[in-house]
Short mmCIF file of all heavy atoms in Angstrom, two decimals:
data_model
loop_
_atom_site.label_atom_id
_atom_site.label_comp_id
_atom_site.label_asym_id
_atom_site.label_seq_id
_atom_site.Cartn_x
_atom_site.Cartn_y
_atom_site.Cartn_z
N LYS A 1 -1.14 -6.03 17.70
CA LYS A 1 -0.62 -6.72 18.89
C LYS A 1 0.05 -8.05 18.58
O LYS A 1 0.70 -8.64 19.44
CB LYS A 1 -1.75 -6.92 19.89
CG LYS A 1 -2.27 -5.64 20.49
CD LYS A 1 -3.28 -5.92 21.61
CE LYS A 1 -3.75 -4.65 22.29
NZ LYS A 1 -4.72 -4.94 23.38
N ASN A 2 -0.17 -8.55 17.35
CA ASN A 2 0.44 -9.81 16.98
C ASN A 2 1.44 -9.60 15.84
O ASN A 2 1.62 -8.48 15.36
CB ASN A 2 -0.64 -10.84 16.58
CG ASN A 2 -1.50 -10.35 15.43
OD1 ASN A 2 -1.01 -9.84 14.41
ND2 ASN A 2 -2.81 -10.51 15.56
N SER A 3 2.08 -10.67 15.41
CA SER A 3 3.15 -10.56 14.39
C SER A 3 2.66 -10.85 12.98
O SER A 3 3.47 -11.12 12.11
CB SER A 3 4.29 -11.52 14.78
OG SER A 3 3.84 -12.85 14.85
N ASP A 4 1.35 -10.80 12.76
CA ASP A 4 0.82 -11.13 11.43
C ASP A 4 1.35 -10.17 10.36
O ASP A 4 1.39 -8.95 10.55
CB ASP A 4 -0.74 -11.04 11.43
CG ASP A 4 -1.38 -12.18 12.21
OD1 ASP A 4 -0.65 -13.11 12.61
OD2 ASP A 4 -2.62 -12.14 12.39
N VAL A 5 1.75 -10.77 9.24
CA VAL A 5 2.11 -10.00 8.03
C VAL A 5 1.26 -10.62 6.92
O VAL A 5 1.55 -11.69 6.41
CB VAL A 5 3.60 -10.15 7.70
CG1 VAL A 5 3.96 -9.35 6.46
CG2 VAL A 5 4.43 -9.64 8.89
N ASP A 6 0.17 -9.93 6.57
CA ASP A 6 -0.91 -10.50 5.78
C ASP A 6 -0.95 -9.94 4.36
O ASP A 6 -1.09 -8.73 4.17
CB ASP A 6 -2.25 -10.22 6.51
CG ASP A 6 -3.41 -11.03 5.96
OD1 ASP A 6 -3.30 -11.57 4.84
OD2 ASP A 6 -4.44 -11.14 6.65
N TYR A 7 -0.82 -10.82 3.38
CA TYR A 7 -0.87 -10.45 1.97
C TYR A 7 -2.20 -10.89 1.32
O TYR A 7 -2.32 -10.84 0.10
CB TYR A 7 0.28 -11.07 1.20
CG TYR A 7 1.63 -10.68 1.62
CD1 TYR A 7 2.35 -11.38 2.59
CD2 TYR A 7 2.30 -9.60 1.04
CE1 TYR A 7 3.62 -11.03 2.99
CE2 TYR A 7 3.59 -9.22 1.40
CZ TYR A 7 4.23 -9.94 2.38
OH TYR A 7 5.50 -9.58 2.75
N SER A 8 -3.17 -11.34 2.10
CA SER A 8 -4.30 -12.04 1.53
C SER A 8 -5.32 -11.14 0.85
O SER A 8 -6.14 -11.60 0.06
CB SER A 8 -4.99 -12.86 2.62
OG SER A 8 -5.44 -12.05 3.68
N GLY A 9 -5.34 -9.84 1.13
CA GLY A 9 -6.34 -8.98 0.54
C GLY A 9 -5.78 -7.61 0.19
O GLY A 9 -4.66 -7.25 0.55
N ASN A 10 -6.57 -6.85 -0.58
CA ASN A 10 -6.17 -5.50 -0.97
C ASN A 10 -6.79 -4.46 -0.02
O ASN A 10 -7.72 -4.79 0.73
CB ASN A 10 -6.63 -5.24 -2.41
CG ASN A 10 -6.22 -3.86 -2.89
OD1 ASN A 10 -5.24 -3.29 -2.45
ND2 ASN A 10 -6.98 -3.30 -3.83
N CYS A 11 -6.30 -3.22 -0.08
CA CYS A 11 -6.89 -2.11 0.64
C CYS A 11 -7.35 -1.08 -0.39
O CYS A 11 -6.51 -0.49 -1.10
CB CYS A 11 -5.89 -1.48 1.59
SG CYS A 11 -6.48 0.05 2.36
N GLY A 12 -8.66 -0.86 -0.48
CA GLY A 12 -9.19 0.10 -1.43
C GLY A 12 -8.75 1.52 -1.14
O GLY A 12 -8.48 2.29 -2.05
N ASN A 13 -8.72 1.89 0.14
CA ASN A 13 -8.33 3.25 0.46
C ASN A 13 -6.90 3.54 0.04
O ASN A 13 -6.62 4.54 -0.61
CB ASN A 13 -8.47 3.49 1.98
CG ASN A 13 -9.87 3.99 2.36
OD1 ASN A 13 -10.29 5.05 1.93
ND2 ASN A 13 -10.58 3.19 3.16
N MET A 14 -5.96 2.64 0.36
CA MET A 14 -4.57 2.86 0.01
C MET A 14 -4.36 2.74 -1.50
O MET A 14 -3.39 3.29 -2.03
CB MET A 14 -3.64 1.92 0.76
CG MET A 14 -3.49 2.23 2.24
SD MET A 14 -3.29 3.98 2.66
CE MET A 14 -1.95 4.49 1.56
N SER A 15 -5.27 2.06 -2.19
CA SER A 15 -5.15 2.01 -3.64
C SER A 15 -5.19 3.38 -4.27
O SER A 15 -4.60 3.61 -5.34
CB SER A 15 -6.31 1.15 -4.25
OG SER A 15 -6.23 -0.18 -3.83
N SER A 16 -5.85 4.34 -3.59
CA SER A 16 -5.98 5.69 -4.12
C SER A 16 -4.63 6.42 -4.10
O SER A 16 -4.44 7.42 -4.81
CB SER A 16 -7.02 6.49 -3.36
OG SER A 16 -6.63 6.65 -2.01
N ALA A 17 -3.68 5.96 -3.31
CA ALA A 17 -2.38 6.63 -3.21
C ALA A 17 -1.32 5.96 -4.13
O ALA A 17 -0.25 6.54 -4.33
CB ALA A 17 -1.87 6.61 -1.79
N VAL A 18 -1.65 4.80 -4.69
CA VAL A 18 -0.66 4.09 -5.50
C VAL A 18 -0.35 4.81 -6.79
O VAL A 18 0.83 4.94 -7.17
CB VAL A 18 -1.15 2.65 -5.77
CG1 VAL A 18 -0.20 1.95 -6.72
CG2 VAL A 18 -1.30 1.87 -4.48
N GLY A 19 -1.38 5.27 -7.50
CA GLY A 19 -1.14 6.05 -8.72
C GLY A 19 -0.30 7.28 -8.48
O GLY A 19 0.70 7.50 -9.19
N PRO A 20 -0.67 8.12 -7.49
CA PRO A 20 0.16 9.28 -7.19
C PRO A 20 1.60 8.92 -6.83
O PRO A 20 2.54 9.60 -7.25
CB PRO A 20 -0.57 9.92 -6.01
CG PRO A 20 -2.01 9.62 -6.27
CD PRO A 20 -2.00 8.21 -6.82
N PHE A 21 1.79 7.86 -6.03
CA PHE A 21 3.15 7.43 -5.69
C PHE A 21 3.91 7.05 -6.97
O PHE A 21 5.10 7.40 -7.13
CB PHE A 21 3.10 6.25 -4.73
CG PHE A 21 4.46 5.68 -4.40
CD1 PHE A 21 5.23 6.25 -3.40
CD2 PHE A 21 4.94 4.59 -5.07
CE1 PHE A 21 6.49 5.73 -3.10
CE2 PHE A 21 6.19 4.04 -4.76
CZ PHE A 21 6.95 4.63 -3.79
N ALA A 22 3.27 6.31 -7.86
CA ALA A 22 3.92 5.85 -9.09
C ALA A 22 4.35 7.05 -9.95
O ALA A 22 5.43 7.02 -10.54
CB ALA A 22 2.99 4.94 -9.89
N VAL A 23 3.53 8.05 -9.99
CA VAL A 23 3.90 9.27 -10.76
C VAL A 23 4.99 10.05 -10.06
O VAL A 23 5.97 10.47 -10.65
CB VAL A 23 2.65 10.15 -10.99
CG1 VAL A 23 3.05 11.53 -11.51
CG2 VAL A 23 1.68 9.48 -11.97
N ASP A 24 4.83 10.26 -8.74
CA ASP A 24 5.80 11.06 -7.97
C ASP A 24 7.20 10.47 -8.02
O ASP A 24 8.19 11.21 -8.02
CB ASP A 24 5.36 11.19 -6.53
CG ASP A 24 4.09 12.03 -6.35
OD1 ASP A 24 3.74 12.75 -7.28
OD2 ASP A 24 3.46 11.92 -5.29
N TYR A 25 7.29 9.13 -8.05
CA TYR A 25 8.59 8.47 -8.00
C TYR A 25 9.01 7.86 -9.33
O TYR A 25 9.85 6.98 -9.39
CB TYR A 25 8.61 7.43 -6.87
CG TYR A 25 8.53 8.13 -5.54
CD1 TYR A 25 7.31 8.41 -4.95
CD2 TYR A 25 9.67 8.57 -4.89
CE1 TYR A 25 7.21 9.10 -3.77
CE2 TYR A 25 9.58 9.24 -3.70
CZ TYR A 25 8.36 9.52 -3.13
OH TYR A 25 8.28 10.22 -1.97
N ARG A 26 8.40 8.37 -10.42
CA ARG A 26 8.77 8.03 -11.79
C ARG A 26 8.68 6.53 -12.09
O ARG A 26 9.41 6.04 -12.96
CB ARG A 26 10.19 8.54 -12.08
CG ARG A 26 10.40 10.02 -11.78
CD ARG A 26 9.47 10.90 -12.60
NE ARG A 26 9.74 12.33 -12.45
CZ ARG A 26 9.09 13.13 -11.60
NH1 ARG A 26 8.09 12.62 -10.86
NH2 ARG A 26 9.38 14.42 -11.51
#
């Protein structure tokens, strides 16, 4: 509901998709 764009922390759940994305997109 607000305009926050927050870089202050990581997301463990989405971390699980980063490796597959890196492989899929070379």
Side-chain angles (χ1 to χ4, degrees):
K1 292 186 177 182
N2 59 46
S3 58
D4 289 352
V5 180
D6 193 343
Y7 298 91
S8 60
N10 182 27
C11 173
N13 271 299
M14 288 317 309
S15 296
S16 64
V18 174
F21 176 84
V23 168
D24 292 343
Y25 292 89
R26 307 300 186 263

